[in-house]
Amino acid sequence: FMHNGQFTSINQVFGFYRNGGGPNLDNKDPLLVPLNVPPQAAADLISFVATALTDPRLAQGLPPFTRPTLRSQLLPQAGIVYGPGSAGTGARIPAILAEVPANLGNPDWKIGVANARGGALATLVLNFVPASTQIFGVNLNVGLDGGEMLVTFGLGGASGVAGAGYGTLALGLPPDPWLAGITFYGQWFVWDGGVPAGAASTRGAEIRFF
């Protein structure tokens, strides 16, 4: 709360004004003075501000508080992820970062990986088909049928350190309408000499162009 985010509760905000609004005397309206409010009245006022002005229909999106929903808002906050990953160094399972909506014409669409082995090579696999299997004991969530696209580069982070590795593939999506409705599936593989399989993997991500 407040313009600088200094308070985390309505109680703190009310206490600020009850005490006269802080010590900045050179920049304070003279009408802002300590409030002489009895404890019960203060509690009632805080309760009113915190609860009475929130209509449950608004929280549930029911009439008359319905509104249009943006296509990007239909996606979960972390993107659409599925399947298990496989652990690398330090028993860390790399995380796929797929929360950016794939809206056509977006010049800053990206997909990333984190919590991997620092400085390792990583390969992003993209395909039109998902999978649910293993290869050499590593969980595979994207099909390897010859139609996949592979992008490999080195991760940032302290070399060899478990969980320190990160990277992002940024692509501009063309505004071509024929792409609308197409779904890709993606998964990162981190080449990790710290585990017997030699690789760790993220969960899969479903990427819907719209």
Side-chain angles (χ1 to χ4, degrees), residues 86-94 114-123 138 155 159-165 188-201:
S86 298
T89 294
R92 299 290 190 97
I93 298 177
N115 198 42
R117 180 182 172 117
L121 285 178
T123 298
V138 178
L155 298 181
S159 181
V161 176
W188 288 95
F189 292 87
V190 179
W191 307 108
D192 188 338
V195 290
S201 65

Side-chain angles (χ1 to χ4, degrees), residues 171-201:
L171 296 172
L173 299 182
D176 297 331
W178 66 270
L179 289 172
I182 292 179
T183 298
F184 270 100
Y185 299 89
Q187 182 180 14
W188 288 95
F189 292 87
V190 179
W191 307 108
D192 188 338
V195 290
S201 65

Side-chain angles (χ1 to χ4, degrees), residues 118-152:
L121 285 178
T123 298
L124 174 65
V125 180
L126 295 169
N127 203 344
F128 290 107
V129 294
S132 180
T133 185
Q134 289 189 340
I135 181 169
F136 303 116
V138 178
N139 290 312
L140 180 66
N141 299 310
V142 176
L144 296 177
D145 56 5
E148 66 274 4
M149 179 176 73
L150 308 178
V151 181
T152 300

Side-chain angles (χ1 to χ4, degrees), residues 100 103 105-111 124 126 149 151 168-174 209:
V100 178
N103 53 301
N106 182 356
D108 194 36
W109 180 79
K110 62 193 69 174
I111 184 168
L124 174 65
L126 295 169
M149 179 176 73
V151 181
T168 302
L169 175 67
L171 296 172
L173 299 182
F209 292 157

